[in-house]
Amino acid sequence: MMSEISNQLTDLKKTLPESCTLVAVSKTKPSSDVLQAYQTGHLDFGENKVQELTSKAEELPKDIRWHMIGHLQRNKVKYIAPFVHLIHGVDSLKLLKEINKQGKKVDRVIDCLLQIHIAEEDTKFGLDKIELMEILNGQQLKEMINVRIIGLMGMATFTENQDQIRREFKSLKSIFEEIKNSDHTNVQLNTLSMGMSGDYQIALEEGSNMVRIGSAIFGARNY
């Protein structure tokens, strides 16, 4: 018998294009909930706190692809470097350097998304376009052989104004299109991660191919 979580996940997947990766955001939810979703065959799960990510990774099946979707502090990178599938929120050159350093220690190339600040809120993290270009065109990135930049990530303003949300996603998509043919060895831009439970449909319409959805699968957060 399928659980409510399994049903929600299965129904949601039917509405997404095949080209879109669904990251099921399990933050604050118990491992048993993740397991119910995993048993449908789903493998991509996202957490926004390192401690929660590492403890779930220890408890749950090893073929799960763990996404670090929250703000990542440099001193925490070492805890997830051995196993993390994708780091979504790389918002500084210093953080990228630390990921490269820890990737080297565990002999892994760690996939990353550069987070772009598109929201009209100061609470959101991210690079502006000038900082993005400085990273992509800088000599330091070329020397980081233990990271691979595979795309961009952005979060829209938390607002009811759908025109504003659409405008912000559109701006991120246009930056992505402008830089996706970067010819650096460790830059292969194919992922545009934008859209969460409240705005993923707009994000898909604006070109997202990775959405981060939690409450629409697992229900309201447990704070």
Side-chain angles (χ1 to χ4, degrees):
M1 186 175 137
M2 287 184 81
S3 69
E4 172 115 11
I5 289 169
S6 307
N7 286 330
Q8 298 277 53
L9 179 59
T10 305
D11 290 347
L12 179 60
K13 278 182 157 177
K14 288 175 187 168
T15 70
L16 297 176
E18 273 187 31
S19 58
C20 181
T21 300
L22 169 61
V23 180
V25 180
S26 47
K27 64 181 184 183
T28 79
K29 297 296 179 179
S31 293
S32 55
D33 283 9
V34 178
L35 203 53
Q36 285 178 45
Y38 170 82
Q39 283 163 349
T40 69
H42 192 76
L43 295 178
D44 291 279
F45 292 90
E47 291 288 337
N48 72 334
K49 289 197 162 60
V50 166
Q51 195 172 352
E52 201 172 344
L53 179 58
T54 52
S55 65
K56 282 179 182 165
E58 280 174 24
E59 291 171 22
L60 288 157
K62 297 299 172 242
D63 58 339
I64 286 177
R65 296 189 287 256
W66 290 105
H67 296 244
M68 177 62 199
I69 63 168
H71 181 62
L72 179 58
Q73 294 169 301
R74 297 203 302 277
N75 62 348
K76 302 275 180 72
V77 174
K78 61 190 173 201
Y79 300 113
I80 61 172
F83 68 88
V84 70
H85 176 68
L86 180 61
I87 296 175
H88 286 234
V90 179
D91 58 2
S92 71
L93 182 62
K94 283 180 177 175
L95 177 57
L96 201 56
K97 283 181 181 171
E98 184 62 27
I99 296 167
N100 183 67
K101 176 181 160 186
Q102 298 301 332
K104 188 175 182 182
K105 283 183 183 175
V106 294
D107 196 24
R108 286 188 73 211
V109 176
I110 300 175
D111 284 345
C112 299
L113 302 178
L114 295 177
Q115 182 171 356
I116 310 303
H117 189 281
I118 56 171
E120 292 177 19
E121 294 171 331
D122 293 336
T123 52
K124 300 277 196 293
F125 295 95
L127 304 160
D128 63 29
K129 193 176 171 187
I130 294 170
E131 292 167 327
L132 169 68
M133 301 314 286
E134 283 174 352
I135 288 175
L136 289 178
N137 297 323
Q139 182 60 33
Q140 292 184 75
L141 179 59
K142 296 179 180 132
E143 294 163 3
M144 292 185 209
I145 59 171
N146 290 90
V147 293
R148 180 167 50 223
I149 309 295
I150 66 161
L152 302 180
M153 182 272 252
M155 295 169 71
T157 304
F158 187 67
T159 174
E160 296 292 313
N161 184 339
Q162 297 203 344
D163 291 337
Q164 182 180 345
I165 292 168
R166 188 177 298 279
R167 193 167 61 244
E168 290 168 358
F169 285 150
K170 210 181 272 290
S171 73
L172 183 55
K173 169 69 167 170
S174 74
I175 294 170
F176 179 74
E177 287 299 324
E178 194 180 320
I179 64 166
K180 74 175 183 186
N181 296 319
S182 299
D183 58 354
H184 304 308
T185 50
N186 50 352
V187 179
Q188 298 165 10
L189 296 174
N190 52 34
T191 301
L192 183 55
S193 172
M194 57 186 194
M196 302 188 291
S197 289
D199 58 20
Y200 75 90
Q201 282 149 325
I202 300 173
L204 289 172
E205 288 165 13
E206 295 305 327
S208 172
N209 62 9
M210 181 177 280
V211 292
R212 311 176 301 274
I213 298 181
S215 52
I217 299 167
F218 296 103
R221 299 263 178 268
N222 304 325
Y223 288 116

mmCIF file of all heavy atoms in Angstrom, residues 116-122 124 152-176 192-196 199 202-203 206-207:
data_model
loop_
_atom_site.group_PDB
_atom_site.id
_atom_site.type_symbol
_atom_site.label_atom_id
_atom_site.label_comp_id
_atom_site.label_asym_id
_atom_site.label_seq_id
_atom_site.Cartn_x
_atom_site.Cartn_y
_atom_site.Cartn_z
ATOM 1 N N ILE A 116 23.022 32.503 -7.929
ATOM 2 C CA ILE A 116 22.903 33.875 -8.397
ATOM 3 C C ILE A 116 21.807 34.583 -7.608
ATOM 4 O O ILE A 116 20.729 34.012 -7.393
ATOM 5 C CB ILE A 116 22.566 33.907 -9.912
ATOM 6 C CG1 ILE A 116 23.528 33.008 -10.701
ATOM 7 C CG2 ILE A 116 22.601 35.343 -10.437
ATOM 8 C CD1 ILE A 116 24.992 33.336 -10.536
ATOM 9 N N HIS A 117 22.090 35.794 -7.175
ATOM 10 C CA HIS A 117 21.103 36.565 -6.403
ATOM 11 C C HIS A 117 20.140 37.227 -7.383
ATOM 12 O O HIS A 117 20.498 38.162 -8.093
ATOM 13 C CB HIS A 117 21.813 37.623 -5.556
ATOM 14 C CG HIS A 117 20.897 38.309 -4.589
ATOM 15 N ND1 HIS A 117 20.041 39.303 -4.979
ATOM 16 C CD2 HIS A 117 20.677 38.136 -3.262
ATOM 17 C CE1 HIS A 117 19.347 39.722 -3.935
ATOM 18 N NE2 HIS A 117 19.711 39.023 -2.881
ATOM 19 N N ILE A 118 18.897 36.702 -7.444
ATOM 20 C CA ILE A 118 17.904 37.267 -8.362
ATOM 21 C C ILE A 118 16.736 37.912 -7.621
ATOM 22 O O ILE A 118 15.949 38.642 -8.207
ATOM 23 C CB ILE A 118 17.359 36.194 -9.342
ATOM 24 C CG1 ILE A 118 16.767 34.991 -8.584
ATOM 25 C CG2 ILE A 118 18.446 35.756 -10.306
ATOM 26 C CD1 ILE A 118 16.016 34.001 -9.457
ATOM 27 N N ALA A 119 16.605 37.629 -6.326
ATOM 28 C CA ALA A 119 15.455 38.118 -5.557
ATOM 29 C C ALA A 119 15.640 39.570 -5.136
ATOM 30 O O ALA A 119 16.759 40.062 -5.014
ATOM 31 C CB ALA A 119 15.243 37.246 -4.323
ATOM 32 N N GLU A 120 14.513 40.220 -4.885
ATOM 33 C CA GLU A 120 14.557 41.591 -4.370
ATOM 34 C C GLU A 120 14.542 41.583 -2.839
ATOM 35 O O GLU A 120 13.959 42.437 -2.213
ATOM 36 C CB GLU A 120 13.376 42.390 -4.929
ATOM 37 C CG GLU A 120 13.485 42.625 -6.428
ATOM 38 C CD GLU A 120 12.288 43.354 -7.002
ATOM 39 O OE1 GLU A 120 11.548 43.992 -6.225
ATOM 40 O OE2 GLU A 120 12.088 43.273 -8.218
ATOM 41 N N GLU A 121 15.170 40.562 -2.268
ATOM 42 C CA GLU A 121 15.240 40.432 -0.805
ATOM 43 C C GLU A 121 16.707 40.353 -0.406
ATOM 44 O O GLU A 121 17.475 39.617 -1.013
ATOM 45 C CB GLU A 121 14.547 39.140 -0.343
ATOM 46 C CG GLU A 121 13.055 39.098 -0.575
ATOM 47 C CD GLU A 121 12.474 37.704 -0.309
ATOM 48 O OE1 GLU A 121 13.178 36.709 -0.476
ATOM 49 O OE2 GLU A 121 11.309 37.652 0.065
ATOM 50 N N ASP A 122 17.065 41.070 0.633
ATOM 51 C CA ASP A 122 18.460 41.025 1.095
ATOM 52 C C ASP A 122 18.787 39.726 1.820
ATOM 53 O O ASP A 122 19.953 39.397 2.015
ATOM 54 C CB ASP A 122 18.736 42.211 2.041
ATOM 55 C CG ASP A 122 18.660 43.535 1.295
ATOM 56 O OD1 ASP A 122 18.856 43.520 0.064
ATOM 57 O OD2 ASP A 122 18.396 44.562 1.940
ATOM 58 N N LYS A 124 18.366 36.723 0.840
ATOM 59 C CA LYS A 124 18.820 35.648 -0.044
ATOM 60 C C LYS A 124 20.312 35.831 -0.365
ATOM 61 O O LYS A 124 20.794 36.946 -0.537
ATOM 62 C CB LYS A 124 18.018 35.640 -1.346
ATOM 63 C CG LYS A 124 16.510 35.440 -1.188
ATOM 64 C CD LYS A 124 16.147 33.968 -1.053
ATOM 65 C CE LYS A 124 14.660 33.723 -1.297
ATOM 66 N NZ LYS A 124 13.767 34.296 -0.306
ATOM 67 N N LEU A 152 23.661 26.817 -12.738
ATOM 68 C CA LEU A 152 23.323 27.940 -11.877
ATOM 69 C C LEU A 152 22.099 27.614 -11.037
ATOM 70 O O LEU A 152 21.269 26.788 -11.421
ATOM 71 C CB LEU A 152 23.016 29.188 -12.709
ATOM 72 C CG LEU A 152 24.109 29.687 -13.663
ATOM 73 C CD1 LEU A 152 23.618 30.924 -14.409
ATOM 74 C CD2 LEU A 152 25.413 29.976 -12.930
ATOM 75 N N MET A 153 21.983 28.291 -9.904
ATOM 76 C CA MET A 153 20.818 28.139 -9.025
ATOM 77 C C MET A 153 20.370 29.523 -8.586
ATOM 78 O O MET A 153 21.193 30.426 -8.423
ATOM 79 C CB MET A 153 21.197 27.290 -7.807
ATOM 80 C CG MET A 153 20.036 27.032 -6.846
ATOM 81 S SD MET A 153 19.819 28.286 -5.570
ATOM 82 C CE MET A 153 20.373 27.404 -4.134
ATOM 83 N N GLY A 154 19.062 29.686 -8.421
ATOM 84 C CA GLY A 154 18.559 30.956 -7.911
ATOM 85 C C GLY A 154 17.238 30.768 -7.191
ATOM 86 O O GLY A 154 16.502 29.811 -7.455
ATOM 87 N N MET A 155 16.953 31.684 -6.264
ATOM 88 C CA MET A 155 15.699 31.673 -5.513
ATOM 89 C C MET A 155 14.973 32.982 -5.746
ATOM 90 O O MET A 155 15.538 34.052 -5.554
ATOM 91 C CB MET A 155 15.984 31.505 -4.022
ATOM 92 C CG MET A 155 16.610 30.161 -3.687
ATOM 93 S SD MET A 155 17.234 30.125 -1.986
ATOM 94 C CE MET A 155 15.706 30.090 -1.067
ATOM 95 N N ALA A 156 13.711 32.870 -6.152
ATOM 96 C CA ALA A 156 12.909 34.069 -6.388
ATOM 97 C C ALA A 156 12.458 34.672 -5.060
ATOM 98 O O ALA A 156 12.480 34.023 -4.017
ATOM 99 C CB ALA A 156 11.697 33.723 -7.252
ATOM 100 N N THR A 157 12.018 35.916 -5.127
ATOM 101 C CA THR A 157 11.464 36.597 -3.956
ATOM 102 C C THR A 157 10.245 35.830 -3.436
ATOM 103 O O THR A 157 9.460 35.296 -4.220
ATOM 104 C CB THR A 157 11.044 38.032 -4.344
ATOM 105 O OG1 THR A 157 12.176 38.701 -4.893
ATOM 106 C CG2 THR A 157 10.528 38.810 -3.141
ATOM 107 N N PHE A 158 10.109 35.768 -2.127
ATOM 108 C CA PHE A 158 8.948 35.124 -1.515
ATOM 109 C C PHE A 158 7.797 36.129 -1.553
ATOM 110 O O PHE A 158 7.676 36.996 -0.695
ATOM 111 C CB PHE A 158 9.276 34.709 -0.080
ATOM 112 C CG PHE A 158 8.200 33.886 0.572
ATOM 113 C CD1 PHE A 158 7.913 32.614 0.109
ATOM 114 C CD2 PHE A 158 7.471 34.394 1.640
ATOM 115 C CE1 PHE A 158 6.904 31.846 0.699
ATOM 116 C CE2 PHE A 158 6.466 33.646 2.242
ATOM 117 C CZ PHE A 158 6.192 32.362 1.769
ATOM 118 N N THR A 159 6.974 36.025 -2.581
ATOM 119 C CA THR A 159 5.915 37.015 -2.793
ATOM 120 C C THR A 159 4.755 36.362 -3.535
ATOM 121 O O THR A 159 4.923 35.326 -4.190
ATOM 122 C CB THR A 159 6.451 38.208 -3.626
ATOM 123 O OG1 THR A 159 5.370 39.089 -3.924
ATOM 124 C CG2 THR A 159 7.058 37.763 -4.952
ATOM 125 N N GLU A 160 3.588 36.977 -3.425
ATOM 126 C CA GLU A 160 2.409 36.513 -4.184
ATOM 127 C C GLU A 160 2.436 37.053 -5.616
ATOM 128 O O GLU A 160 1.647 36.628 -6.461
ATOM 129 C CB GLU A 160 1.118 37.006 -3.500
ATOM 130 C CG GLU A 160 0.888 36.445 -2.102
ATOM 131 C CD GLU A 160 0.593 34.957 -2.101
ATOM 132 O OE1 GLU A 160 -0.241 34.519 -2.916
ATOM 133 O OE2 GLU A 160 1.208 34.229 -1.299
ATOM 134 N N ASN A 161 3.326 37.993 -5.874
ATOM 135 C CA ASN A 161 3.373 38.653 -7.182
ATOM 136 C C ASN A 161 4.037 37.751 -8.226
ATOM 137 O O ASN A 161 5.255 37.666 -8.316
ATOM 138 C CB ASN A 161 4.138 39.979 -7.049
ATOM 139 C CG ASN A 161 4.147 40.778 -8.338
ATOM 140 O OD1 ASN A 161 3.949 40.241 -9.430
ATOM 141 N ND2 ASN A 161 4.387 42.074 -8.217
ATOM 142 N N GLN A 162 3.215 37.077 -9.013
ATOM 143 C CA GLN A 162 3.747 36.105 -9.970
ATOM 144 C C GLN A 162 4.541 36.767 -11.091
ATOM 145 O O GLN A 162 5.479 36.166 -11.619
ATOM 146 C CB GLN A 162 2.603 35.270 -10.558
ATOM 147 C CG GLN A 162 1.892 34.439 -9.499
ATOM 148 C CD GLN A 162 1.176 33.224 -10.065
ATOM 149 O OE1 GLN A 162 0.948 33.122 -11.262
ATOM 150 N NE2 GLN A 162 0.833 32.301 -9.194
ATOM 151 N N ASP A 163 4.175 37.998 -11.446
ATOM 152 C CA ASP A 163 4.938 38.707 -12.486
ATOM 153 C C ASP A 163 6.371 38.956 -12.029
ATOM 154 O O ASP A 163 7.316 38.835 -12.814
ATOM 155 C CB ASP A 163 4.268 40.049 -12.821
ATOM 156 C CG ASP A 163 2.940 39.861 -13.547
ATOM 157 O OD1 ASP A 163 2.761 38.787 -14.163
ATOM 158 O OD2 ASP A 163 2.088 40.764 -13.483
ATOM 159 N N GLN A 164 6.518 39.289 -10.744
ATOM 160 C CA GLN A 164 7.862 39.524 -10.199
ATOM 161 C C GLN A 164 8.664 38.223 -10.194
ATOM 162 O O GLN A 164 9.832 38.203 -10.588
ATOM 163 C CB GLN A 164 7.771 40.095 -8.782
ATOM 164 C CG GLN A 164 9.143 40.389 -8.194
ATOM 165 C CD GLN A 164 9.073 40.969 -6.788
ATOM 166 O OE1 GLN A 164 8.031 41.419 -6.336
ATOM 167 N NE2 GLN A 164 10.199 40.963 -6.102
ATOM 168 N N ILE A 165 8.035 37.137 -9.738
ATOM 169 C CA ILE A 165 8.711 35.832 -9.708
ATOM 170 C C ILE A 165 9.162 35.444 -11.114
ATOM 171 O O ILE A 165 10.304 35.026 -11.328
ATOM 172 C CB ILE A 165 7.769 34.753 -9.122
ATOM 173 C CG1 ILE A 165 7.518 35.032 -7.640
ATOM 174 C CG2 ILE A 165 8.352 33.353 -9.310
ATOM 175 C CD1 ILE A 165 6.382 34.213 -7.035
ATOM 176 N N ARG A 166 8.257 35.618 -12.081
ATOM 177 C CA ARG A 166 8.577 35.275 -13.473
ATOM 178 C C ARG A 166 9.744 36.121 -13.989
ATOM 179 O O ARG A 166 10.652 35.620 -14.652
ATOM 180 C CB ARG A 166 7.338 35.476 -14.347
ATOM 181 C CG ARG A 166 7.511 34.956 -15.781
ATOM 182 C CD ARG A 166 6.235 35.093 -16.605
ATOM 183 N NE ARG A 166 5.140 34.305 -16.054
ATOM 184 C CZ ARG A 166 4.981 32.995 -16.252
ATOM 185 N NH1 ARG A 166 5.881 32.324 -16.957
ATOM 186 N NH2 ARG A 166 3.954 32.351 -15.723
ATOM 187 N N ARG A 167 9.715 37.399 -13.652
ATOM 188 C CA ARG A 167 10.777 38.307 -14.088
ATOM 189 C C ARG A 167 12.134 37.865 -13.532
ATOM 190 O O ARG A 167 13.153 37.894 -14.228
ATOM 191 C CB ARG A 167 10.422 39.726 -13.611
ATOM 192 C CG ARG A 167 11.223 40.834 -14.228
ATOM 193 C CD ARG A 167 10.598 42.201 -13.943
ATOM 194 N NE ARG A 167 10.529 42.506 -12.513
ATOM 195 C CZ ARG A 167 9.398 42.660 -11.833
ATOM 196 N NH1 ARG A 167 8.224 42.532 -12.431
ATOM 197 N NH2 ARG A 167 9.419 42.954 -10.540
ATOM 198 N N GLU A 168 12.139 37.449 -12.262
ATOM 199 C CA GLU A 168 13.403 37.019 -11.636
ATOM 200 C C GLU A 168 13.926 35.731 -12.255
ATOM 201 O O GLU A 168 15.128 35.597 -12.520
ATOM 202 C CB GLU A 168 13.180 36.881 -10.129
ATOM 203 C CG GLU A 168 12.981 38.242 -9.466
ATOM 204 C CD GLU A 168 12.485 38.193 -8.032
ATOM 205 O OE1 GLU A 168 12.244 37.084 -7.496
ATOM 206 O OE2 GLU A 168 12.340 39.272 -7.428
ATOM 207 N N PHE A 169 13.023 34.774 -12.488
ATOM 208 C CA PHE A 169 13.447 33.527 -13.134
ATOM 209 C C PHE A 169 13.938 33.783 -14.564
ATOM 210 O O PHE A 169 14.906 33.186 -15.023
ATOM 211 C CB PHE A 169 12.308 32.507 -13.148
ATOM 212 C CG PHE A 169 12.041 31.860 -11.806
ATOM 213 C CD1 PHE A 169 10.757 31.435 -11.466
ATOM 214 C CD2 PHE A 169 13.057 31.651 -10.888
ATOM 215 C CE1 PHE A 169 10.505 30.820 -10.246
ATOM 216 C CE2 PHE A 169 12.823 31.051 -9.663
ATOM 217 C CZ PHE A 169 11.532 30.631 -9.342
ATOM 218 N N LYS A 170 13.248 34.671 -15.250
ATOM 219 C CA LYS A 170 13.638 35.018 -16.626
ATOM 220 C C LYS A 170 15.049 35.596 -16.647
ATOM 221 O O LYS A 170 15.845 35.297 -17.539
ATOM 222 C CB LYS A 170 12.633 36.031 -17.178
ATOM 223 C CG LYS A 170 12.421 35.968 -18.688
ATOM 224 C CD LYS A 170 11.433 37.028 -19.153
ATOM 225 C CE LYS A 170 9.999 36.572 -19.109
ATOM 226 N NZ LYS A 170 9.666 35.558 -20.114
ATOM 227 N N SER A 171 15.364 36.428 -15.648
ATOM 228 C CA SER A 171 16.693 37.044 -15.599
ATOM 229 C C SER A 171 17.777 35.988 -15.394
ATOM 230 O O SER A 171 18.859 36.064 -15.984
ATOM 231 C CB SER A 171 16.765 38.115 -14.516
ATOM 232 O OG SER A 171 16.796 37.535 -13.218
ATOM 233 N N LEU A 172 17.485 34.994 -14.564
ATOM 234 C CA LEU A 172 18.454 33.921 -14.328
ATOM 235 C C LEU A 172 18.645 33.075 -15.584
ATOM 236 O O LEU A 172 19.771 32.724 -15.950
ATOM 237 C CB LEU A 172 18.017 33.046 -13.149
ATOM 238 C CG LEU A 172 18.967 31.923 -12.749
ATOM 239 C CD1 LEU A 172 20.371 32.447 -12.468
ATOM 240 C CD2 LEU A 172 18.441 31.169 -11.540
ATOM 241 N N LYS A 173 17.558 32.771 -16.253
ATOM 242 C CA LYS A 173 17.634 31.988 -17.492
ATOM 243 C C LYS A 173 18.468 32.724 -18.538
ATOM 244 O O LYS A 173 19.277 32.122 -19.251
ATOM 245 C CB LYS A 173 16.208 31.723 -18.011
ATOM 246 C CG LYS A 173 16.130 31.144 -19.423
ATOM 247 C CD LYS A 173 16.653 29.728 -19.504
ATOM 248 C CE LYS A 173 16.252 29.113 -20.848
ATOM 249 N NZ LYS A 173 16.932 27.833 -21.090
ATOM 250 N N SER A 174 18.312 34.051 -18.626
ATOM 251 C CA SER A 174 19.068 34.796 -19.638
ATOM 252 C C SER A 174 20.563 34.794 -19.321
ATOM 253 O O SER A 174 21.399 34.682 -20.215
ATOM 254 C CB SER A 174 18.532 36.220 -19.793
ATOM 255 O OG SER A 174 18.907 37.020 -18.708
ATOM 256 N N ILE A 175 20.916 34.860 -18.017
ATOM 257 C CA ILE A 175 22.338 34.753 -17.627
ATOM 258 C C ILE A 175 22.863 33.364 -17.990
ATOM 259 O O ILE A 175 23.962 33.214 -18.533
ATOM 260 C CB ILE A 175 22.519 35.025 -16.113
ATOM 261 C CG1 ILE A 175 22.180 36.481 -15.785
ATOM 262 C CG2 ILE A 175 23.947 34.698 -15.667
ATOM 263 C CD1 ILE A 175 22.106 36.784 -14.288
ATOM 264 N N PHE A 176 22.069 32.352 -17.691
ATOM 265 C CA PHE A 176 22.452 30.960 -17.989
ATOM 266 C C PHE A 176 22.730 30.794 -19.490
ATOM 267 O O PHE A 176 23.739 30.204 -19.886
ATOM 268 C CB PHE A 176 21.329 30.024 -17.533
ATOM 269 C CG PHE A 176 21.582 28.569 -17.796
ATOM 270 C CD1 PHE A 176 22.486 27.854 -17.026
ATOM 271 C CD2 PHE A 176 20.911 27.905 -18.815
ATOM 272 C CE1 PHE A 176 22.715 26.502 -17.260
ATOM 273 C CE2 PHE A 176 21.139 26.551 -19.054
ATOM 274 C CZ PHE A 176 22.040 25.851 -18.286
ATOM 275 N N LEU A 192 19.957 24.182 -14.617
ATOM 276 C CA LEU A 192 19.404 25.442 -14.131
ATOM 277 C C LEU A 192 18.400 25.102 -13.035
ATOM 278 O O LEU A 192 17.294 24.658 -13.297
ATOM 279 C CB LEU A 192 18.729 26.206 -15.271
ATOM 280 C CG LEU A 192 18.167 27.590 -14.936
ATOM 281 C CD1 LEU A 192 19.251 28.489 -14.334
ATOM 282 C CD2 LEU A 192 17.568 28.245 -16.171
ATOM 283 N N SER A 193 18.846 25.271 -11.784
ATOM 284 C CA SER A 193 18.036 24.882 -10.627
ATOM 285 C C SER A 193 17.271 26.099 -10.120
ATOM 286 O O SER A 193 17.826 26.995 -9.498
ATOM 287 C CB SER A 193 18.959 24.330 -9.523
ATOM 288 O OG SER A 193 18.236 24.119 -8.328
ATOM 289 N N MET A 194 15.973 26.118 -10.433
ATOM 290 C CA MET A 194 15.118 27.185 -9.900
ATOM 291 C C MET A 194 13.694 26.673 -9.808
ATOM 292 O O MET A 194 13.234 25.916 -10.650
ATOM 293 C CB MET A 194 15.216 28.465 -10.742
ATOM 294 C CG MET A 194 14.879 28.355 -12.206
ATOM 295 S SD MET A 194 15.218 29.927 -13.073
ATOM 296 C CE MET A 194 14.319 29.626 -14.625
ATOM 297 N N GLY A 195 13.025 27.074 -8.728
ATOM 298 C CA GLY A 195 11.655 26.639 -8.500
ATOM 299 C C GLY A 195 11.531 25.767 -7.270
ATOM 300 O O GLY A 195 12.270 24.796 -7.103
ATOM 301 N N MET A 196 10.585 26.151 -6.379
ATOM 302 C CA MET A 196 10.286 25.381 -5.177
ATOM 303 C C MET A 196 8.779 25.130 -5.143
ATOM 304 O O MET A 196 8.070 25.415 -6.114
ATOM 305 C CB MET A 196 10.793 26.129 -3.945
ATOM 306 C CG MET A 196 12.291 26.408 -4.012
ATOM 307 S SD MET A 196 13.014 27.076 -2.485
ATOM 308 C CE MET A 196 12.301 28.699 -2.413
ATOM 309 N N ASP A 199 6.492 27.993 -6.426
ATOM 310 C CA ASP A 199 6.698 28.709 -7.692
ATOM 311 C C ASP A 199 7.316 27.848 -8.799
ATOM 312 O O ASP A 199 7.733 28.368 -9.831
ATOM 313 C CB ASP A 199 7.563 29.958 -7.455
ATOM 314 C CG ASP A 199 8.930 29.639 -6.832
ATOM 315 O OD1 ASP A 199 9.378 28.483 -6.909
ATOM 316 O OD2 ASP A 199 9.550 30.563 -6.264
ATOM 317 N N ILE A 202 6.030 28.212 -12.528
ATOM 318 C CA ILE A 202 6.555 29.392 -13.245
ATOM 319 C C ILE A 202 8.005 29.129 -13.651
ATOM 320 O O ILE A 202 8.418 29.444 -14.767
ATOM 321 C CB ILE A 202 6.470 30.659 -12.364
ATOM 322 C CG1 ILE A 202 5.020 30.951 -11.974
ATOM 323 C CG2 ILE A 202 7.074 31.872 -13.082
ATOM 324 C CD1 ILE A 202 4.860 32.090 -10.977
ATOM 325 N N ALA A 203 8.779 28.544 -12.740
ATOM 326 C CA ALA A 203 10.193 28.247 -13.033
ATOM 327 C C ALA A 203 10.325 27.336 -14.248
ATOM 328 O O ALA A 203 11.186 27.551 -15.111
ATOM 329 C CB ALA A 203 10.855 27.615 -11.810
ATOM 330 N N GLU A 206 9.826 29.087 -17.390
ATOM 331 C CA GLU A 206 10.947 29.978 -17.704
ATOM 332 C C GLU A 206 12.259 29.229 -17.951
ATOM 333 O O GLU A 206 13.318 29.842 -18.047
ATOM 334 C CB GLU A 206 11.115 31.025 -16.597
ATOM 335 C CG GLU A 206 9.941 31.989 -16.475
ATOM 336 C CD GLU A 206 9.600 32.712 -17.782
ATOM 337 O OE1 GLU A 206 10.529 32.993 -18.567
ATOM 338 O OE2 GLU A 206 8.405 32.993 -18.015
ATOM 339 N N GLY A 207 12.204 27.906 -18.017
ATOM 340 C CA GLY A 207 13.385 27.164 -18.460
ATOM 341 C C GLY A 207 14.132 26.355 -17.421
ATOM 342 O O GLY A 207 15.203 25.820 -17.705
#
